[in-house]
């Protein structure tokens, strides 16, 4: 039996909550050490710049998300998905003396409304645009709020077609084909654990189907082509840069504030959880993580999910990928069929505290791609 399970999209509320609460617990993950302190004095008793910023008092806190200042004119929005699903992902905004850029479309208009509320507490400058980091529902289903406020929505050129194909086409249509891979997996499960994973994936798809049918979908109205990127955006004494990097989906953007060493990564960084890989390019993603690693030890990352972090967050995600790659390589060398190789991955002790949104969305596709790469002699 050779099968490469192609899973659908999304994740269950339960799994989201599990991932988020684990991520929020601040559990120390084994296998990596805290980076050395690089500043003479850090605020709030923190041991690193990122940790200090994460602990800064909130500008506004609505429990499901809070906004805080992390630089001059730079604000992060961090979600707590145990308290509500309005935002689900992290985001933020960057504001100069003349204009502001909003980062992320969130999971619902209420999430985007929270971001606008936070922005207006910080500044009255006009909004130049809102940017979706990528097409996934939890980063784009709040777009209607921005559109209603007359705010242009920018995204990578792949975002509008992917939203159309994966969400618009499915809205209020039969989901039989959408559920089929997980249902087939459930039927053909090779062990109790495998069955549990398949059931989790199916629950995830059902949750997503509900999100899609309930959404007011609004596509980005400015598509950024890779040839236009990186793009500098002058906001009045503050320059932001939009870049594209491979990895999480076919079209991901990041937002940098180079003068302050701050990077909004979108889902190219999942901090303290397994990365979602179901439509990823994992080898490209490793190159992106190397690029993040070269951004310097002072750099602060606002990940797509999980707490604000420094380079230790990049190291952790690289080590998770390395573990998945090692498993896949070993299975390929032993001639274990792919479906069995996918089922046989077990989360090592040092990663048990990490969030895991859904098995199929995080583990299976990563194992499949590393397995193929191993067979092709690429890893
Ligand atoms: Zn995503």
């Amino acid at each position: 039996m050779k099968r490469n399970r192609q899973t659908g999209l999304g994740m269950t509320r339960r799994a989201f909550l599990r991932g988020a609460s684990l991520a929020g617990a601040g559990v120390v993950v084994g296998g990596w050490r805290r980076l050395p302190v690089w500043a003479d004095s850090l605020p709030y008793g923190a041991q690193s710049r990122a940790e200090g910023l994460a602990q800064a008092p909130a500008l506004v806190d609505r429990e499901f998300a809070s906004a805080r200042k992390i630089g001059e004119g730079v604000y992060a929005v961090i979600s707590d998905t145990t308290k509500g699903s309005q935002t689900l992902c992290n985001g933020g905004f960057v504001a100069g003396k003349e204009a502001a850029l909003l980062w992320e479309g969130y999971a619902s208009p209420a999430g985007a409304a929270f971001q606008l509320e936070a922005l207006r507490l910080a500044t009255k400058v006009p909004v130049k645009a809102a940017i979706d980091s990528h097409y996934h529902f939890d980063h784009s289903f709040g777009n209607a709020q921005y559109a209603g406020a007359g705010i242009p929505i920018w995204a990578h050129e792949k975002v509008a077609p992917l939203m159309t194909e994966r969400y618009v086409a499915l809205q209020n249509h039969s989901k039989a084909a959408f559920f089929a891979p997980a249902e087939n997996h459930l039927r053909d499960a090779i062990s109790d654990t495998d069955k549990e994973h398949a059931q989790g994936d199916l629950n995830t798809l059902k949750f997503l189907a509900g999100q899609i049918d309930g959404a007011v979908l609004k596509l980005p109205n400015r598509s950024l082509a890779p040839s236009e990127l990186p793009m500098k955006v002058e906001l009045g004494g503050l320059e932001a840069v939009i870049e594209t990097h491979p990895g999480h989906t076919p079209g991901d953007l990041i937002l940098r504030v180079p003068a302050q060493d701050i990077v909004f990564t979108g889902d190219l960084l999942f901090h303290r959880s397994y990365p979602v890989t179901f439509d990823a390019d994992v080898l490209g993603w490793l190159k992106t993580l190397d690029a993040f690693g070269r951004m310097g030890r002072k750099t602060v990352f606002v990940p797509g999910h999980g707490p604000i972090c420094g380079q230790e967050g990049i190291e952790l995600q690289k080590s998770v990928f390395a573990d998945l790659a090692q498993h896949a390589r070993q299975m390929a060398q032993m001639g274990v069929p792919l479906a069995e190789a996918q089922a046989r991955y077990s989360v090592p002790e040092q990663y048990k505290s990490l969030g895991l949104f859904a098995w199929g969305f995080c583990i299976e596709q990563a194992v499949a791609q590393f397995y193929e790469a191993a067979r092709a002699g690429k890893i």
Side-chain angles (χ1 to χ4, degrees), residues 7-23:
T7 47
L9 330 164
M11 52 199 72
T12 60
R13 178 176 302 259
R14 182 187 54 80
F16 247 129
L17 301 185
R18 183 159 54 100
S21 60
L22 287 170

PDB file of all heavy atoms in Angstrom, residues 7-23:
ATOM      1  N   THR A   7      -3.922  15.952   2.583  1.00  0.00           N
ATOM      2  CA  THR A   7      -4.960  16.418   3.497  1.00  0.00           C
ATOM      3  C   THR A   7      -5.561  17.725   2.994  1.00  0.00           C
ATOM      4  O   THR A   7      -5.029  18.356   2.115  1.00  0.00           O
ATOM      5  CB  THR A   7      -4.381  16.636   4.896  1.00  0.00           C
ATOM      6  OG1 THR A   7      -3.184  17.356   4.757  1.00  0.00           O
ATOM      7  CG2 THR A   7      -4.137  15.322   5.569  1.00  0.00           C
ATOM      8  N   GLY A   8      -6.659  18.096   3.582  1.00  0.00           N
ATOM      9  CA  GLY A   8      -7.319  19.345   3.219  1.00  0.00           C
ATOM     10  C   GLY A   8      -6.738  20.506   3.995  1.00  0.00           C
ATOM     11  O   GLY A   8      -5.562  20.525   4.288  1.00  0.00           O
ATOM     12  N   LEU A   9      -7.571  21.436   4.321  1.00  0.00           N
ATOM     13  CA  LEU A   9      -7.092  22.661   4.929  1.00  0.00           C
ATOM     14  C   LEU A   9      -7.689  22.873   6.303  1.00  0.00           C
ATOM     15  O   LEU A   9      -8.805  22.487   6.569  1.00  0.00           O
ATOM     16  CB  LEU A   9      -7.509  23.858   4.064  1.00  0.00           C
ATOM     17  CG  LEU A   9      -7.641  23.586   2.581  1.00  0.00           C
ATOM     18  CD1 LEU A   9      -8.405  24.704   1.922  1.00  0.00           C
ATOM     19  CD2 LEU A   9      -6.280  23.441   1.965  1.00  0.00           C
ATOM     20  N   GLY A  10      -6.938  23.527   7.160  1.00  0.00           N
ATOM     21  CA  GLY A  10      -7.542  24.016   8.397  1.00  0.00           C
ATOM     22  C   GLY A  10      -7.215  23.198   9.612  1.00  0.00           C
ATOM     23  O   GLY A  10      -6.391  22.317   9.588  1.00  0.00           O
ATOM     24  N   MET A  11      -7.879  23.503  10.684  1.00  0.00           N
ATOM     25  CA  MET A  11      -7.586  22.849  11.940  1.00  0.00           C
ATOM     26  C   MET A  11      -8.789  22.950  12.875  1.00  0.00           C
ATOM     27  O   MET A  11      -9.621  23.821  12.727  1.00  0.00           O
ATOM     28  CB  MET A  11      -6.356  23.488  12.563  1.00  0.00           C
ATOM     29  CG  MET A  11      -6.443  24.983  12.683  1.00  0.00           C
ATOM     30  SD  MET A  11      -4.839  25.759  12.883  1.00  0.00           S
ATOM     31  CE  MET A  11      -4.118  25.584  11.271  1.00  0.00           C
ATOM     32  N   THR A  12      -8.868  22.027  13.792  1.00  0.00           N
ATOM     33  CA  THR A  12     -10.033  22.031  14.676  1.00  0.00           C
ATOM     34  C   THR A  12      -9.888  23.104  15.734  1.00  0.00           C
ATOM     35  O   THR A  12      -8.795  23.487  16.113  1.00  0.00           O
ATOM     36  CB  THR A  12     -10.161  20.692  15.423  1.00  0.00           C
ATOM     37  OG1 THR A  12      -8.987  20.525  16.189  1.00  0.00           O
ATOM     38  CG2 THR A  12     -10.374  19.544  14.489  1.00  0.00           C
ATOM     39  N   ARG A  13     -11.029  23.522  16.229  1.00  0.00           N
ATOM     40  CA  ARG A  13     -11.008  24.482  17.330  1.00  0.00           C
ATOM     41  C   ARG A  13     -10.266  23.851  18.521  1.00  0.00           C
ATOM     42  O   ARG A  13      -9.410  24.463  19.119  1.00  0.00           O
ATOM     43  CB  ARG A  13     -12.453  24.812  17.716  1.00  0.00           C
ATOM     44  CG  ARG A  13     -12.556  25.776  18.880  1.00  0.00           C
ATOM     45  CD  ARG A  13     -14.007  26.103  19.108  1.00  0.00           C
ATOM     46  NE  ARG A  13     -14.603  26.677  17.923  1.00  0.00           N
ATOM     47  CZ  ARG A  13     -14.823  27.973  17.760  1.00  0.00           C
ATOM     48  NH1 ARG A  13     -14.506  28.798  18.717  1.00  0.00           N
ATOM     49  NH2 ARG A  13     -15.361  28.441  16.667  1.00  0.00           N
ATOM     50  N   ARG A  14     -10.587  22.580  18.795  1.00  0.00           N
ATOM     51  CA  ARG A  14      -9.977  21.906  19.936  1.00  0.00           C
ATOM     52  C   ARG A  14      -8.457  21.877  19.771  1.00  0.00           C
ATOM     53  O   ARG A  14      -7.705  22.167  20.693  1.00  0.00           O
ATOM     54  CB  ARG A  14     -10.528  20.484  20.053  1.00  0.00           C
ATOM     55  CG  ARG A  14      -9.996  19.701  21.240  1.00  0.00           C
ATOM     56  CD  ARG A  14     -10.461  18.258  21.174  1.00  0.00           C
ATOM     57  NE  ARG A  14     -10.119  17.626  19.911  1.00  0.00           N
ATOM     58  CZ  ARG A  14      -8.916  17.147  19.626  1.00  0.00           C
ATOM     59  NH1 ARG A  14      -7.937  17.220  20.519  1.00  0.00           N
ATOM     60  NH2 ARG A  14      -8.665  16.594  18.463  1.00  0.00           N
ATOM     61  N   ALA A  15      -8.042  21.530  18.545  1.00  0.00           N
ATOM     62  CA  ALA A  15      -6.610  21.439  18.297  1.00  0.00           C
ATOM     63  C   ALA A  15      -5.963  22.816  18.396  1.00  0.00           C
ATOM     64  O   ALA A  15      -4.874  22.970  18.922  1.00  0.00           O
ATOM     65  CB  ALA A  15      -6.367  20.832  16.919  1.00  0.00           C
ATOM     66  N   PHE A  16      -6.663  23.824  17.892  1.00  0.00           N
ATOM     67  CA  PHE A  16      -6.182  25.197  17.991  1.00  0.00           C
ATOM     68  C   PHE A  16      -5.949  25.558  19.443  1.00  0.00           C
ATOM     69  O   PHE A  16      -4.931  26.086  19.829  1.00  0.00           O
ATOM     70  CB  PHE A  16      -7.249  26.165  17.463  1.00  0.00           C
ATOM     71  CG  PHE A  16      -6.856  26.852  16.208  1.00  0.00           C
ATOM     72  CD1 PHE A  16      -7.709  26.854  15.125  1.00  0.00           C
ATOM     73  CD2 PHE A  16      -5.644  27.510  16.112  1.00  0.00           C
ATOM     74  CE1 PHE A  16      -7.360  27.497  13.964  1.00  0.00           C
ATOM     75  CE2 PHE A  16      -5.290  28.158  14.955  1.00  0.00           C
ATOM     76  CZ  PHE A  16      -6.153  28.146  13.874  1.00  0.00           C
ATOM     77  N   LEU A  17      -6.966  25.232  20.268  1.00  0.00           N
ATOM     78  CA  LEU A  17      -6.904  25.594  21.672  1.00  0.00           C
ATOM     79  C   LEU A  17      -5.757  24.871  22.348  1.00  0.00           C
ATOM     80  O   LEU A  17      -5.012  25.435  23.115  1.00  0.00           O
ATOM     81  CB  LEU A  17      -8.237  25.256  22.362  1.00  0.00           C
ATOM     82  CG  LEU A  17      -9.461  25.953  21.769  1.00  0.00           C
ATOM     83  CD1 LEU A  17     -10.705  25.648  22.594  1.00  0.00           C
ATOM     84  CD2 LEU A  17      -9.276  27.463  21.684  1.00  0.00           C
ATOM     85  N   ARG A  18      -5.604  23.604  21.996  1.00  0.00           N
ATOM     86  CA  ARG A  18      -4.539  22.812  22.593  1.00  0.00           C
ATOM     87  C   ARG A  18      -3.187  23.423  22.229  1.00  0.00           C
ATOM     88  O   ARG A  18      -2.343  23.647  23.078  1.00  0.00           O
ATOM     89  CB  ARG A  18      -4.628  21.378  22.083  1.00  0.00           C
ATOM     90  CG  ARG A  18      -3.609  20.448  22.683  1.00  0.00           C
ATOM     91  CD  ARG A  18      -4.052  19.010  22.549  1.00  0.00           C
ATOM     92  NE  ARG A  18      -4.369  18.672  21.160  1.00  0.00           N
ATOM     93  CZ  ARG A  18      -3.528  18.029  20.367  1.00  0.00           C
ATOM     94  NH1 ARG A  18      -2.363  17.653  20.804  1.00  0.00           N
ATOM     95  NH2 ARG A  18      -3.865  17.746  19.132  1.00  0.00           N
ATOM     96  N   GLY A  19      -3.037  23.719  20.932  1.00  0.00           N
ATOM     97  CA  GLY A  19      -1.782  24.291  20.476  1.00  0.00           C
ATOM     98  C   GLY A  19      -1.501  25.605  21.166  1.00  0.00           C
ATOM     99  O   GLY A  19      -0.407  25.851  21.653  1.00  0.00           O
ATOM    100  N   ALA A  20      -2.543  26.422  21.238  1.00  0.00           N
ATOM    101  CA  ALA A  20      -2.354  27.755  21.784  1.00  0.00           C
ATOM    102  C   ALA A  20      -2.052  27.710  23.276  1.00  0.00           C
ATOM    103  O   ALA A  20      -1.187  28.410  23.759  1.00  0.00           O
ATOM    104  CB  ALA A  20      -3.604  28.584  21.534  1.00  0.00           C
ATOM    105  N   SER A  21      -2.768  26.837  24.005  1.00  0.00           N
ATOM    106  CA  SER A  21      -2.555  26.860  25.443  1.00  0.00           C
ATOM    107  C   SER A  21      -1.168  26.304  25.763  1.00  0.00           C
ATOM    108  O   SER A  21      -0.501  26.783  26.655  1.00  0.00           O
ATOM    109  CB  SER A  21      -3.644  26.062  26.165  1.00  0.00           C
ATOM    110  OG  SER A  21      -3.626  24.741  25.738  1.00  0.00           O
ATOM    111  N   LEU A  22      -0.729  25.342  24.983  1.00  0.00           N
ATOM    112  CA  LEU A  22       0.613  24.826  25.202  1.00  0.00           C
ATOM    113  C   LEU A  22       1.641  25.890  24.869  1.00  0.00           C
ATOM    114  O   LEU A  22       2.593  26.109  25.587  1.00  0.00           O
ATOM    115  CB  LEU A  22       0.851  23.579  24.341  1.00  0.00           C
ATOM    116  CG  LEU A  22       0.110  22.335  24.819  1.00  0.00           C
ATOM    117  CD1 LEU A  22       0.217  21.240  23.789  1.00  0.00           C
ATOM    118  CD2 LEU A  22       0.657  21.856  26.150  1.00  0.00           C
ATOM    119  N   ALA A  23       1.383  26.582  23.738  1.00  0.00           N
ATOM    120  CA  ALA A  23       2.320  27.620  23.314  1.00  0.00           C
ATOM    121  C   ALA A  23       2.387  28.718  24.362  1.00  0.00           C
ATOM    122  O   ALA A  23       3.434  29.266  24.639  1.00  0.00           O
ATOM    123  CB  ALA A  23       1.893  28.193  21.973  1.00  0.00           C
TER     124      ALA A  23
END
